[in-house]
Amino acid sequence: MKKGLFISFEGPDGAGKSTQLAMLSDYCRSRGLDITVTREPGGTAISEKIRQIILDPENKEMSAGCEALLYAASRAQLVDEFIRPAVAEGKIVLCDRFVDSSIAYQAYARKLGEGVRTINIFATGGTMPDRTFFLNIDPEKGRERNVDAGKKDRMEQEELSFHRAVYEGYKRIAEMEPERVIVIDADRRAERVFEDIKREFDRLIEEAEQ
Ligand code: TYD
């Protein structure tokens, strides 16, 4: 592959993104593909520090605007320091969440609207994933899966109504960008979910190699 690929995973909390990301990265390695994995918020030393501030349950007074800007700041660093150089070197970058999370959580659920898109265009310089896997699961089921996940971070502590709004946001994004966003039914066994992801991924690699 001459140019690398940038692939993101999205979905409500508890959709199983981390499991699918791990399965896809194992699969890539078994095929000898040059891949690298990262996550949001985080992925660089600076972005991980920003992550701690964002998710700290103590930061109850954080305003919605501050939250959106911190996610965008973390992303700006990740894109400049890591994603853009890796793609330029021909690597496949798998990212746990990206701009769509800010659209779903901050623009829709926090009701901040279009401004969120604007700050993210600034933050990323327009870098967007080549493909996004949206793991589609009802937010209530996602929360059930997360029950044993230990102490809840600031976002996980939000009401179910907030997570419903996030989910509606994701569905809108998928409707608006059907070419980029692949909807995957995530309410199944992990192996079955992965079969669909693998099929789409193989197709994408084939296109990229042509
Ligand atoms: P994380 O522990 O990575 O959650 P998950 O395993 O569900 O991905 O925490 C990230 C949280 O931040 C998650 O609740 C989603 C939220 N988030 C936003 O609200 N906006 C964003 O732009 C991003 C990247 C994440």
Side-chain angles (χ1 to χ4, degrees):
M1 277 184 352
K2 287 189 212 81
K3 187 184 152 286
L5 276 175
F6 176 25
I7 298 173
S8 64
F9 282 73
E10 295 282 356
D13 295 41
K17 285 181 289 88
S18 318
T19 309
Q20 294 302 323
L21 242 144
M23 290 172 93
L24 185 57
S25 58
D26 286 350
Y27 173 67
C28 287
R29 290 197 182 97
S30 75
R31 280 190 56 176
L33 296 167
D34 190 4
I35 69 134
T36 179
V37 180
T38 190
R39 69 161 178 186
E40 281 220 68
T44 70
I46 294 172
S47 309
E48 289 290 332
K49 285 187 186 166
I50 299 173
R51 176 188 174 93
Q52 284 172 16
I53 301 172
I54 300 175
L55 297 180
D56 187 347
E58 300 273 298
N59 287 339
K60 290 198 191 328
E61 69 276 36
M62 187 180 290
S63 73
C66 174
E67 179 184 285
L69 287 163
L70 287 176
Y71 278 115
S74 162
R75 181 164 300 131
Q77 187 65 30
L78 182 68
V79 169
D80 274 356
E81 187 182 327
F82 187 78
I83 296 177
R84 209 179 287 125
V87 173
E89 276 172 30
K91 287 189 184 350
I92 299 171
V93 177
L94 306 182
C95 191
D96 191 341
R97 300 190 179 280
F98 198 63
V99 171
D100 297 323
S101 284
S102 279
I103 303 298
Y105 284 77
Q106 281 68 52
Y108 282 96
R110 291 271 190 245
K111 302 189 170 61
L112 290 178
E114 270 304 302
V116 176
R117 198 175 295 281
T118 309
I119 59 172
N120 275 285
I121 291 171
F122 174 76
T124 61
T127 295
M128 281 299 278
D130 297 292
R131 282 293 184 287
T132 296
F133 292 114
F134 164 44
L135 301 191
N136 187 3
I137 189 163
D138 186 273
E140 230 155 315
K141 290 201 176 152
R143 271 160 78 98
E144 279 166 27
R145 285 186 182 177
N146 258 354
V147 164
D148 300 326
K151 197 164 155 249
K152 286 192 159 71
D153 67 38
R154 204 172 54 80
M155 304 303 282
E156 286 164 350
Q157 287 179 0
E158 286 293 338
E159 301 285 319
L160 183 60
S161 60
F162 177 84
H163 291 281
R164 284 228 155 273
V166 168
Y167 182 60
E168 292 308 317
Y170 273 129
K171 287 206 292 195
R172 290 273 190 85
I173 296 168
E175 275 164 25
M176 284 186 308
E177 289 187 73
E179 304 261 295
R180 173 175 66 86
V181 182
I182 313 291
V183 183
I184 304 282
D185 174 5
D187 190 12
R188 296 174 296 166
R189 280 186 21 247
E191 292 72 20
R192 284 284 297 113
V193 175
F194 184 64
E195 274 173 30
D196 289 358
I197 292 179
K198 183 170 156 301
R199 189 175 324 113
E200 291 293 338
F201 177 79
D202 286 343
R203 197 175 302 156
L204 186 59
I205 293 291
E206 218 169 281
E207 277 171 27
E209 280 171 345
Q210 272 165 15

